[in-house]
Amino acid sequence: MGIKVYKPTSKGRRNMSTPTFEEITKKTPEKSLLSPGRRQAGRNNQGGVTVRHHGGGNRPKYRIVDFRREKAGVPAKVMAIEYDPNRTARIALLYYADGEKRYILAPVGMMVGDTIMSSPTAEIKAGNTLPISSIPVGTIIHNVELQKGRGGQLVRSAGTGAQLMAKEGKYAQVRLPSGEVRYVSIDCFATIGSLGNAEWNTIKLGKAGRRRHMGWRPTVRGAVMNPRDHPHGGGEGKVGVGMPGPKTPWGKPALGKKTRRIKFTSKFIVKRRGKK
């Protein structure tokens, strides 16, 4: 992936950059693998805002990506590398030997014309999916399952890759991109390689309009609101939040308060992220 930097012909262009899309080989998506991408603008069925700063933007259709890779033993040929507006990673269009077409996440090194497979006996190469029990220790993987047959749930963002650290009985230790090390069942499937488009987070939008095209509305600081709208609001001039710690718009502690509620998976965490 390359990055195109624009000349400062205007204020919006001064800090703008876009990907070159040089790895994209097909511009139009496969119609049989599209689904209407309906956006709710951050509102529930009663019209109330449940997610702030969402609304507007383009209406891209959702590409149905195969995270399960359950077609075991059926070889597939990579026909195209495509852009997906719904995710940061690129996707690859596969033609299976039985005639079926599917999208998968495109890892680094995958080329048009490659043959890949999902099988316990598949070769250790980028794009092949195997159970963790069949993957050598030290291999970089992505699209990792947490429960067998449910499909990959971990390591699906562009430029990310997890490493298989060790195998102990029924579980394996996997180091995630965040630095967290956790146990994953060796019966779960994972895909070989790290995902491409690693430089996606260096893109600079340059102007507010590009953000609006993505469906993001403006973010307003709580300190400039009225007291009835935010706990930080009110006061004359630029003043502090007026409390020991910052709070969310709903009066809950923010910036440092632990909000993780899923306690039943804590036993699978060997080392938490950010800790030595």
Side-chain angles (χ1 to χ4, degrees), residues 43-105:
R43 300 177 183 272
N44 57 15
N45 58 358
Q46 297 178 347
V49 176
T50 56
V51 182
R52 301 167 70 215
H53 318 141
H54 282 202
N58 296 326
R59 294 188 223 173
K61 292 184 179 297
Y62 180 76
R63 278 72 168 166
I64 303 174
V65 180
D66 180 17
F67 295 113
R68 295 190 177 186
R69 302 289 299 273
E70 74 268 17
K71 291 183 71 69
V74 182
K77 185 176 182 180
V78 180
M79 299 303 295
I81 306 296
E82 299 184 18
Y83 166 77
D84 189 350
N86 304 291
R87 66 190 72 253
T88 57
R90 304 298 186 223
I91 57 177
L93 177 62
L94 303 184
Y95 281 22
Y96 281 90
D98 57 3
E100 188 174 358
K101 302 176 184 179
R102 291 194 182 185
Y103 279 129
I104 66 167
L105 300 178

Side-chain angles (χ1 to χ4, degrees), residues 153-223:
Q153 295 176 271
L154 302 177
V155 196
R156 305 194 316 195
S157 180
T160 59
Q163 186 175 19
L164 183 59
M165 302 296 294
K167 299 179 184 179
E168 302 175 3
K170 296 181 179 179
Y171 293 95
Q173 290 188 18
V174 178
R175 183 172 64 191
L176 303 179
S178 63
E180 177 180 298
V181 179
R182 66 178 298 131
Y183 285 119
V184 179
S185 173
I186 61 174
D187 296 329
C188 292
F189 278 72
T191 307
I192 306 298
S194 61
L195 291 171
N197 196 25
E199 299 177 356
W200 71 272
N201 56 356
T202 63
I203 298 295
K204 293 184 179 180
L205 299 182
K207 62 181 183 179
R210 288 181 69 185
R211 197 65 169 170
R212 296 301 294 262
H213 294 160
M214 297 179 181
W216 288 86
R217 302 186 67 249
T219 301
V220 180
R221 292 175 295 128

Side-chain angles (χ1 to χ4, degrees), residues 102-143:
R102 291 194 182 185
Y103 279 129
I104 66 167
L105 300 178
V108 175
M110 177 177 284
M111 305 292 291
V112 175
D114 291 350
T115 301
I116 63 174
M117 183 183 296
S118 175
S119 172
T121 59
E123 181 185 355
I124 304 298
K125 75 172 186 177
N128 283 354
T129 301
L130 302 87
I132 294 179
S133 59
S134 301
I135 300 177
V137 174
T139 305
I140 302 299
I141 56 179
H142 68 274
N143 193 37

